[in-house]
Each structure stands twice: as C-alpha cells, then as structure tokens.
C-alpha cells in the first residue's frame, strides 16, 4: 500500500510517499481502509521531532473509513463497519492498523470526511470547554486562532454553553468566519495588540479563561489577559514551545491557574472516548455543530498540506485523501 513515511525529522520535504507492507491485524486490532485523514498541528510536531517518535514513522493520528479486516478476539466491529479514530500514529496511509477499542462508529448519514474532521479537533474543543475550564453563562473566554480547526468548533461550543467569546485572528476573512461561528468580539492581532483589545473589551476586568493553541508568541500576554484566579489553558505550540514559567509569576499576576492539557488524558478509557465522541459527532449529525472543511489534498501532497497549515493559509479543517 501507499503511505507517507518520515525517515528523518525535518521540514515538510521529509514527508515522502512510499510503498509499505499492507497491515495485518493481530489480537484486539482491526485494519481500516482510510477514506479521509485529518491534518493536525501535532502531525507537524511529530514530523519535526518536537514530539519525538522512533523512525521511520508514518504520521497521522486521525481518520475514518470502513473496517476491512478484524483480528482475533475483536467483538466490537466487523468488516464493513464505518469507524473513526483519534489515536496512534499511522493514519497517513491507504490502510491503518488500529486498536479495536480506540475506534468509534460514524453516525448514519454522516460522511467519513466529516467524521475524520471532528475526532481530534472536535473532541479537543469539547474537553477544553466542558472539563478543563467548564464554561457557563457569565464567563468570558479568549480563543486564540478562532478561525482554525479547533477554534471554529470551540467558539460554537462556548456560545452554546452561554459564554461570551472573544476571538483572535489574523485577517478580515478569518474574522468573518469567527463571527459566523458565534464570536461576540473578534480581534485582528495584525492590527491591534490583543492584550490592549481584551482590556478594552472587558472594561479592564480581563477574561475568565484563555484557550491558547499558538504558544510562544502569545503565552506571556495571554496571562495578562486574565482576571484574578483566571485560567490559562495552553493546548498547542503553533508558534513554538513556550519558555518555562516561574510559578511566582502566576501568584503576582493574580493567583492564576496554568494548565497544559492533551486530549489523550480526556479519552483515556473507552467509556470516556465513547461519551465524548458521541457528544461531538451527535451534535454535528443533528446540525447543531458546523464543521468547516477548508480544503483537501491528495495523500501524495501531504508536504504541501503541511506548508499551508504552517503558513497560516488554512481555516477550519484540512483533510488528506488517499
């Protein structure tokens, strides 16, 4: 089968289409014919080695498609079942070998492209606003990259929970998307300092929580956007890793909370995975959560997809299609 293989860490050019052996399921495993692959910033971190894994590797942690082979002991699935996942590496391929207990069913009537677009980013947005900092009426949140894959979903979910949402974006076109998702206020960080804008929009009070996937270029000012005892939720490093933070800084700035969550710990067991995926996929299937697929790339053009993502040329979700 064809797959994208990384033989050395580096830029997008290390993503190369290769012939690799077809996978065969062992006990507790299934093989899925991949119909759609979700592109995520964590794929960039795996490619560059920021999150190191043994080489060579096939990147990709999100996708959807039909089961084509079932290993011994698997009772959850049978051939032909349409499934989706956010799980181990290996999704940048025509077929993926996956643990049976890390898959969820694609709802009837939903395309596998939509399911692939929702698993990692949708469940991330979900845990951020329901568990890490549970939003409720009266809260004000700041969402960086509000027109991105997680951002557009998080804005919608935050509004459904009754929060006031302030988003940051880089262009007018992205501002329109964030407003369309429900953002109450949108800051163009290319024209206005987002810290000054937040202070203006909140009457100097600050926000209850900052959801920051950008990292290095925003983290320090994000802390200054918080009201006393507010929470900084850093869940990505799109601009680079954040420097270490002295805990005393959190005290001086108002007894702030700082957390660096990751999806894996919010879907650690099957019950948590099923419940969170059911909420996200169910809301989309019912038409209450809009999924924006910005563009698709052939699997062979994965390098171009990474360049577009890193160049901030995308909005919403980007998919690779084998």
């Amino acid at each position: 089968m064809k797959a994208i293989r990384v033989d050395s860490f580096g830029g997008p050019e290390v993503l190369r289409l290769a012939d690799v052996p077809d996978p065969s399921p062992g006990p507790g495993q299934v093989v899925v014919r991949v119909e759609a692959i979700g592109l995520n910033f964590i794929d960039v971190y795996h490619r560059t080695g920021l999150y190191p894994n043994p080489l060579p590797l096939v990147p990709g942690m999100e996708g959807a498609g039909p089961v084509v082979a079932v290993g011994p002991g698997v009772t959850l699935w049978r051939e032909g079942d349409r499934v989706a996942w956010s799980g181990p590496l290996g999704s940048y391929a025509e077929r993926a070998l996956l643990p049976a207990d890390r898959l969820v069913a694609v709802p009837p009537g939903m395309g596998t492209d939509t399911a692939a677009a929702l698993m990692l980013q949708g469940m991330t947005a979900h845990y951020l606003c329901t568990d890490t900092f549970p939003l409720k009426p009266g809260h004000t949140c700041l969402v960086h990259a509000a027109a991105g894959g997680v951002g557009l979903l998080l804005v919608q979910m935050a509004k459904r929970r009754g929060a006031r949402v302030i988003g940051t974006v880089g262009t007018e076109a992205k501002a329109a998307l964030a407003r369309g998702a429900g953002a109450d206020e949108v800051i163009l960080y290319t024209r206005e300092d987002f810290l000054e804008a937040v202070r203006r929009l909140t009457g100097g009070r600050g926000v209850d929580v900052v959801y920051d996937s950008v990292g290095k270029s925003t983290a320090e000012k994000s802390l200054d956007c918080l009201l006393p005892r507010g929470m900084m939720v850093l869940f990505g490093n799109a601009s680079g890793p954040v420097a270490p933070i002295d805990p005393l800084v959190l005290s001086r700035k108002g007894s702030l909370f700082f957390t660096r969550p990751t999806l894996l710990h919010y879907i650690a067991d099957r019950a948590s995975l099923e419940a969170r995926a059911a909420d996200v996929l169910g809301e989309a299937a019912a038409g209450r959560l809009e999924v924006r697929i910005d563009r698709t790339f052939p699997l062979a053009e994965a390098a171009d997809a990474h360049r577009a993502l890193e160049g901030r040329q995308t909005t919403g979700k980007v998919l690779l299609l084998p």
Side-chain angles (χ1 to χ4, degrees):
M1 70 173 184
K2 298 290 186 182
I4 295 294
R5 193 172 66 190
V6 173
D7 295 305
S8 61
F9 298 125
E13 69 280 356
V14 304
L15 298 167
R16 297 182 179 178
L17 192 67
D19 290 304
V20 301
D22 280 13
S24 179
Q29 297 177 320
V30 302
V31 174
V32 178
R33 178 169 57 80
V34 183
E35 293 184 342
I37 304 155
L39 179 67
N40 298 285
F41 243 101
I42 196 170
D43 303 347
V44 174
Y45 308 151
H46 291 146
R47 188 203 76 215
T48 62
L50 177 64
Y51 295 177
N53 287 279
L55 295 172
L57 66 86
V58 175
M61 298 187 67
E62 180 182 46
V67 174
V68 294
V70 176
V74 173
T75 58
L76 287 170
W77 313 106
R78 58 185 179 185
E79 290 184 25
D81 286 344
R82 299 188 318 140
V83 296
W85 64 90
S86 172
L89 290 170
S91 296
Y92 281 25
E94 293 177 328
R95 296 191 173 204
L97 180 65
L98 298 155
D101 63 356
R102 302 310 293 170
L103 304 174
V104 299
V106 177
M110 176 178 287
T112 48
D113 57 345
T114 299
L118 275 171
M119 287 299 292
L120 194 151
Q121 293 181 339
M123 290 197 296
T124 294
H126 188 272
Y127 85 70
L128 289 172
C129 67
T130 62
D131 291 270
T132 306
F133 187 96
L135 291 172
K136 61 184 180 182
H139 283 150
T140 299
C141 64
L142 176 65
V143 178
H144 284 301
V150 173
L152 287 174
L153 298 170
L154 180 54
V155 169
Q156 293 176 71
M157 293 181 189
K159 288 305 299 178
R160 285 185 61 81
R161 295 182 66 84
R164 181 189 183 202
V165 179
I166 302 172
T168 70
V169 298
T171 68
E172 285 285 4
K174 291 183 177 182
L177 289 173
R179 291 189 188 99
D184 298 283
E185 309 283 352
V186 180
I187 301 165
L188 268 73
Y189 62 80
T190 50
R191 299 182 184 176
E192 183 178 15
D193 180 271
F194 74 80
L195 172 57
E196 293 180 3
V198 166
R199 287 174 173 167
R200 171 175 55 80
L201 293 169
T202 62
R205 176 178 178 271
V207 299
D208 297 276
V209 59
V210 177
Y211 296 111
D212 190 339
S213 62
V214 178
K216 182 178 181 180
S217 65
T218 54
E220 186 173 351
K221 283 187 177 180
S222 290
L223 288 174
D224 291 329
C225 291
L226 291 166
L227 52 70
R229 289 163 47 190
M231 180 177 285
M232 168 72 168
V233 182
L234 180 70
F235 67 100
N237 339 278
S239 66
V242 174
I245 293 176
D246 183 349
L248 288 177
V249 170
L250 304 179
S251 174
R252 289 195 296 268
K253 290 181 181 292
S255 296
L256 303 179
F257 295 86
F258 186 104
T259 185
R260 179 53 170 94
T262 186
L263 173 61
L264 178 63
H265 298 129
Y266 289 84
I267 53 169
D269 56 79
R270 175 130 191 102
S272 300
L273 170 63
E274 286 185 316
R276 200 171 299 281
D279 276 356
V280 173
L281 296 178
E283 288 290 291
R288 292 187 293 268
L289 181 65
E290 181 181 350
V291 183
R292 175 183 169 81
I293 297 175
D294 179 61
R295 66 184 87 173
T296 63
F297 289 82
L299 179 61
E301 297 176 13
D304 290 335
H306 276 229
R307 291 185 185 101
L309 182 66
E310 292 177 273
R312 299 186 178 183
Q313 299 168 20
T314 66
T315 58
K317 189 66 177 180
V318 177
L319 298 177
L320 301 176
L321 304 180

